[in-house]
Amino acid sequence: MTLDIRGAFKSSKVSSNRYVVFEELVSNAIDSFLIRKRDEPSVTDMEVIVEVAFQPDDMLEDQEQMSIACRDNGCGMGDDQVMAFVTRDTSYKDDLSIDGIGQCKGSGRLQYFLHFSRIKVASANREAGRVYKRQMTYAEPQKEIKFSDFVKSEGSNEDVIGTRFDLQVLRDLVRDRIARGEALSSLFSAQVLKKQMLMTFLQRLVSLDKQLGEFEIKFVTRHWKSNEQCESLKRSDLPKVTRERLVDIEEVDPRTGTRLGTSQQFKLSHYKLDALLYDIPKNAISFCAKSSPVRDITPRYLRTRAEQNNSVGGFYHIVLIEGDFLDRHVNEQRDEFENIPEDIPSCDLFSQEKLSYAAIYAAIDPLIDEMVSPASWDKERVITKIAEEFGISATMIQDTSTRILYGDTPQSVAERVLAKYQEQIVDETAQIFRLKEEIFEAKPDSDDFREKINELAWKYTASLKRFDMANLSQLIVRRLAIVQVLELACNRKLAMQNLIGEERRKDERIIHSIFFPMRKDTSSHVDHDIWLLSEEYHYYDYIASDLQLANIKWKQEDKLFASDVDEAFESLLAKRAHDNGAKRPDIALFHDEGSAIIVEFKAPGVSMDDHVGDLSEYAHLLAAKSNGRLRKFYCYLIGDTVNRLRLNGPWTSFPTGKGWFMTSPLNDPTTRQNLGETYFEILHYSDVIDRAKKRIGVYQEKLKLDLQ
């Protein structure tokens, strides 16, 4: 067999993990010791020494070069090990029935060649009671390594069983890629290597507690300008697992998303490390393969760099997620997973995977949230803000089984809730359609027919409940926002009301536009907030705002006011019509039952008692020129100032609030002919706001939605 180095460069790539070479050296050393332990039970403690030497790479000593040596007391390299080394995709370890050695592709050693251009291997192993040594040297531009390149010689019992790897001359491109502007001696110091290997091998070392004995992994670094550094990772350094959780995740059909009834099991191991005892560089939450971290997902749960790199509540957290599913999907470089879709059904037509990242996250998110969320995080406060900003109640969150995790924003939760409602409505609509088809095929005189009718009714009712809950909540929050804007406008506290210099005030125009857009009608503009006056007015047939009387239209483009009105009646009102032809109500509403609502706004500070007569004039004009179609008039004068002494007529104060009302027949002042009936109200803006808030309060109570 031959290991084609140049061919491996074409099919393999440098791992994105800058510590991959150290991890592969230590990992292979652990495997080698486990093999020796099987054959020589008397060997009790694993010993690994990793030495790193830093030398200057140029005359100015601005660049650093690095070499690595790793020595272990494993089984050494016999024929089987050499054969596995020179086999591109070896299955050697797959067939070893040894706890702690998982399935692997055996391609990790390729990272040695991708990183370094010179490699030496020196080994001593015991075969049939005798000791043999093997040595191999590789240097570019050598293309391949053959079995015969491992030169075998007879050793003695004085030789130390084990293997030593020497990796020399770090490639320039690789150095630039892994250094990223930092000094190699800083990235790979003895102290840093110990911390990094603790985080990387924590799960594996803990699980192999008995097999490895009182192990020691020593890290020694030498720099041409500084003293030698030495750090050791020992069994006594390992923390105990804080908790373990198993979770089964159901598989689904990759094309339809239908549940299959089968599942994959994942194990979550949580290590909660006292920051005073463990000086590690960061928190780590990772998907693992073969007990080693592969994909870092820490930012999903700890959103800021400060949270990721510092203790949380006085503890560092390491959470490792493992499973056979992940082991099968790890890539050759062991720095990512392959062929796991983000969601199912996926956009990849050829994907056959039955599990997605979305399904995995849905299962593990709440578990990890319990493990690592800072104590300062207040979930209830987030729920309150979701209700305030989006009108989504706790009931809706519960109804859609939406989990709120640390770091979630109100908007992200709102999007998930509404998306789930949409999915539920679509799914249930499809179910209803299928039920209708079944009903169509059923026999009306059969019991099955009535059962289908009942089932259809319940499913339809459930769909309406979800649909209405989402829409009603949105409506309430929208209306609350309108009321708040109106309140600010009436108190001249909107930003646009902060005038500079001689700018003309537009307070009345602003308030008018909140109720209904100016110079619009419902034939062109259906969005308005006339409900602020009364809920029933929201559903009137036609609403016009600040339009000429002659331009107001009825249904089907029919003019509301007839042009061929009785000549005598027209003559009687001619002068008044001429004087007031340009007059128009701020807002006029019409209903085909023959009623009209007239609304007149007055800017804050303008006394309303000077304008009571405007309402009467509007009512007379509309009655006289509608050809008898309008007989009932509800007139509103709204502002914030009134001189009670100047109010003429039988005005009655409301039991609560500051307003007055009056009812009277509408008679022509000249002929005394009855034109209809009028109801007048003089309201303060504060009363309108209070009434609107009370109506919203009723809806809030019905929905159990607290927006305060």
Side-chain angles (χ1 to χ4, degrees):
M1 297 296 293
T2 300
L3 181 61
D4 185 352
I5 302 299
R6 188 176 298 177
F9 284 3
K10 295 180 180 179
S11 58
S12 301
K13 59 183 180 180
V14 177
S15 172
S16 60
N17 176 11
R18 57 175 38 153
Y19 295 97
V20 63
V21 170
F22 294 95
E23 293 176 5
E24 290 295 339
L25 288 169
V26 174
S27 179
N28 287 330
I30 294 173
D31 290 341
S32 182
F33 179 81
L34 293 174
I35 296 171
R36 184 181 181 186
K37 179 80 171 177
R38 178 198 62 180
D39 299 332
E40 299 181 47
S42 59
V43 179
T44 57
D45 305 321
M46 181 187 73
E47 298 175 2
V48 181
I49 301 176
V50 178
E51 299 174 286
V52 187
F54 301 99
Q55 307 91 18
D57 197 41
D58 54 22
M59 295 291 292
L60 299 177
E61 300 186 354
D62 291 334
Q63 292 267 20
E64 292 180 337
Q65 182 56 254
M66 177 177 73
S67 61
I68 305 172
C70 179
R71 186 170 70 250
D72 64 54
N73 65 336
C75 65
M77 300 192 71
D79 290 346
D80 291 342
Q81 288 78 27
V82 172
M83 184 65 71
F85 190 93
V86 298
T87 302
R88 174 66 175 85
D89 294 315
T90 179
S91 59
Y92 165 63
K93 293 181 182 179
D94 297 351
D95 300 327
L96 298 176
S97 300
I98 302 175
D99 290 341
I101 297 182
Q103 294 182 345
C104 64
K105 297 181 180 179
S107 57
R109 70 198 181 286
L110 293 178
Q111 295 296 325
Y112 304 161
F113 297 94
L114 290 168
H115 282 72
F116 294 88
S117 59
R118 295 181 186 175
I119 296 174
K120 296 180 181 180
V121 181
S123 174
N125 77 303
R126 185 175 283 108
E127 298 177 16
R130 302 180 66 176
V131 176
Y132 294 93
K133 297 191 294 183
R134 278 185 171 86
Q135 291 185 332
M136 186 278 294
T137 300
Y138 164 84
E140 283 194 337
Q142 185 177 340
K143 292 178 56 178
E144 57 187 21
I145 298 176
K146 301 185 293 294
F147 184 91
S148 58
D149 290 330
F150 284 82
V151 179
K152 183 178 181 180
S153 62
E154 190 165 346
S156 68
N157 290 329
E158 304 299 322
D159 294 315
V160 178
I161 303 300
T163 303
R164 176 188 172 100
F165 279 88
D166 284 279
L167 312 179
Q168 301 171 344
V169 189
L170 182 66
R171 300 179 186 274
D172 291 340
L173 290 177
V174 174
R175 177 179 58 197
D176 296 339
R177 179 174 178 176
I178 64 177
R180 301 167 200 166
E182 299 183 57
L184 295 177
S185 55
S186 174
L187 290 172
F188 304 109
S189 68
Q191 186 179 36
V192 170
L193 288 174
K194 175 186 176 180
K195 295 177 182 178
Q196 191 67 34
M197 295 306 110
L198 171 62
M199 296 179 65
T200 300
F201 291 101
L202 176 59
Q203 183 70 354
R204 191 175 186 195
L205 293 175
V206 169
S207 63
L208 294 174
D209 179 51
K210 295 181 180 179
Q211 291 97 314
L212 302 182
E214 295 297 330
F215 70 85
E216 180 180 17
I217 305 174
K218 184 180 294 185
F219 302 96
V220 180
T221 56
R222 301 181 181 91
H223 193 280
W224 78 91
K225 287 184 178 180
S226 59
N227 296 328
E228 177 180 294
Q229 295 181 3
C230 183
E231 295 281 346
S232 291
L233 176 58
K234 302 178 181 179
R235 180 184 181 185
S236 58
D237 295 321
L238 299 181
K240 294 185 180 296
V241 63
T242 305
R243 75 182 88 174
E244 291 183 341
R245 298 288 298 273
L246 297 176
V247 57
D248 293 318
I249 304 175
E250 189 172 10
E251 295 179 318
V252 298
D253 187 292
R255 293 174 298 278
T256 65
T258 305
R259 295 179 179 179
L260 297 176
T262 56
S263 62
Q264 294 285 340
Q265 188 172 82
F266 293 77
K267 182 174 78 171
L268 281 72
S269 300
H270 176 212
Y271 294 88
K272 187 176 180 181
L273 310 181
D274 191 328
L276 298 177
L277 301 177
Y278 291 91
D279 182 22
I280 59 177
K282 61 179 182 177
N283 298 282
I285 305 171
S286 306
F287 286 129
C288 298
K290 307 173 183 67
S291 298
S292 297
V294 172
R295 187 180 197 185
D296 182 21
I297 56 174
T298 309
R300 181 179 178 87
Y301 305 98
L302 298 174
R303 301 302 174 95
T304 67
R305 288 292 182 90
E307 291 171 338
Q308 296 164 21
N309 297 332
N310 293 280
S311 61
V312 178
F315 294 90
Y316 285 100
H317 296 269
I318 298 177
V319 182
L320 306 174
I321 302 102
E322 303 173 275
D324 291 339
F325 178 82
L326 296 174
D327 289 348
R328 293 196 303 270
H329 288 80
V330 68
N331 68 3
E332 188 174 273
Q333 288 75 35
R334 296 195 218 179
D335 60 359
E336 190 49 274
F337 298 95
E338 296 178 341
N339 302 320
I340 302 179
E342 291 298 326
D343 209 340
I344 295 177
S346 69
C347 57
D348 184 358
L349 298 177
F350 302 100
S351 175
Q352 297 298 314
E353 294 303 327
K354 302 173 184 177
L355 215 58
S356 66
Y357 279 119
I360 297 173
Y361 284 132
I364 68 175
D365 280 351
L367 303 179
I368 297 177
D369 184 52
E370 293 177 5
M371 297 173 180
V372 303
S373 294
S376 59
W377 182 59
D378 187 353
K379 181 178 180 179
E380 295 304 318
R381 183 172 177 272
V382 176
I383 294 176
T384 300
K385 290 185 68 67
I386 293 169
E388 290 175 350
E389 296 180 17
F390 297 96
I392 293 177
S393 65
T395 303
M396 295 173 66
I397 295 172
Q398 183 177 3
D399 183 54
T400 55
S401 300
T402 302
R403 300 185 179 96
I404 301 177
L405 307 176
Y406 170 69
D408 274 339
T409 64
Q411 179 173 340
S412 66
V413 176
E415 289 173 350
R416 294 206 302 271
V417 171
L418 296 178
K420 288 186 177 182
Y421 268 123
Q422 186 177 28
E423 291 175 3
Q424 291 175 355
I425 292 168
V426 170
D427 291 343
E428 290 175 355
T429 301
Q431 292 180 21
I432 291 171
F433 181 77
R434 288 193 294 270
L435 281 170
K436 287 180 178 179
E437 290 182 328
E438 293 179 22
I439 290 171
F440 181 77
E441 298 294 332
K443 297 178 180 180
D445 58 351
S446 68
D447 292 337
D448 179 70
F449 176 78
R450 297 188 182 280
E451 290 176 4
K452 293 298 181 184
I453 289 291
N454 291 337
E455 188 176 351
L456 172 62
W458 280 115
K459 287 187 176 293
Y460 186 69
T461 302
S463 296
L464 286 179
K465 175 185 175 182
R466 289 191 177 92
F467 182 79
D468 288 345
M469 184 178 290
N471 282 275
L472 181 58
S473 296
Q474 190 273 345
L475 174 66
I476 292 173
V477 175
R478 181 194 177 281
R479 288 192 170 189
L480 180 58
I482 288 293
V483 173
Q484 290 173 339
V485 171
L486 176 60
E487 190 169 20
L488 290 170
C490 293
N491 294 322
R492 293 180 174 175
K493 292 183 178 180
L494 287 176
M496 66 179 297
Q497 292 174 296
N498 296 327
L499 304 183
I500 300 175
E502 300 298 323
E503 289 186 66
R504 182 180 177 183
R505 300 208 65 84
K506 299 186 295 183
D507 299 326
E508 181 180 341
R509 178 187 179 91
I510 293 170
I511 294 171
H512 184 150
S513 299
I514 294 172
F515 283 79
F516 197 97
M518 295 187 69
R519 298 181 180 85
K520 303 287 185 181
D521 64 11
T522 46
S523 64
S524 62
H525 200 91
V526 297
D527 192 18
H528 57 81
D529 287 278
I530 202 66
W531 63 271
L532 287 161
L533 281 180
S534 175
E535 192 68 43
E536 64 182 272
Y537 296 165
H538 198 74
Y539 306 101
Y540 262 52
D541 299 294
Y542 180 84
I543 305 175
S545 173
D546 203 45
L547 292 176
Q548 293 282 343
L549 293 178
N551 294 333
I552 294 178
K553 297 177 180 179
W554 197 238
K555 295 180 179 179
Q556 305 298 328
E557 300 297 321
D558 182 23
K559 297 288 186 178
L560 174 58
F561 303 109
S563 60
D564 57 348
V565 64
D566 181 80
E567 292 183 4
F569 210 178
E570 186 176 287
S571 176
L572 185 65
L573 296 174
K575 182 177 185 302
R576 188 181 308 143
H578 175 75
D579 292 342
N580 298 285
K583 274 187 172 291
R584 54 190 180 273
D586 283 341
I587 297 178
L589 298 82
F590 306 100
H591 196 284
D592 60 6
E593 70 175 10
S595 62
I597 291 89
I598 304 169
V599 183
E600 185 75 6
F601 298 109
K602 294 304 168 188
V606 176
S607 185
M608 291 184 285
D609 48 84
D610 290 334
H611 299 276
V612 173
D614 292 348
L615 296 177
S616 180
E617 287 183 321
Y618 288 148
H620 277 91
L621 285 169
L622 295 179
K625 303 199 73 174
S626 67
N627 201 21
R629 283 186 286 188
L630 299 179
R631 301 280 301 174
K632 297 179 180 179
F633 298 90
Y634 302 89
C635 306
Y636 294 88
L637 184 59
I638 308 175
D640 69 353
T641 304
V642 65
N643 185 346
R644 179 67 180 87
L645 297 177
R646 298 186 61 187
L647 289 180
N648 297 318
W651 291 97
T652 303
S653 299
F654 286 112
T656 59
K658 303 173 184 179
W660 296 267
F661 68 93
M662 178 179 67
T663 59
S664 67
L666 183 64
N667 296 324
D668 184 88
T670 302
T671 66
R672 308 306 298 170
Q673 182 178 348
N674 182 264
L675 304 178
E677 298 177 2
T678 57
Y679 171 80
F680 295 95
E681 284 192 15
I682 298 176
L683 297 175
H684 282 66
Y685 286 121
S686 58
D687 293 331
V688 175
I689 293 169
D690 288 342
R691 289 181 183 181
K693 286 183 177 180
K694 288 177 181 178
R695 286 199 296 276
I696 292 174
V698 172
Y699 284 112
Q700 288 178 258
E701 179 62 27
K702 293 289 186 183
L703 197 61
K704 305 299 182 186
L705 179 62
D706 183 9
L707 299 182
Q708 298 302 318

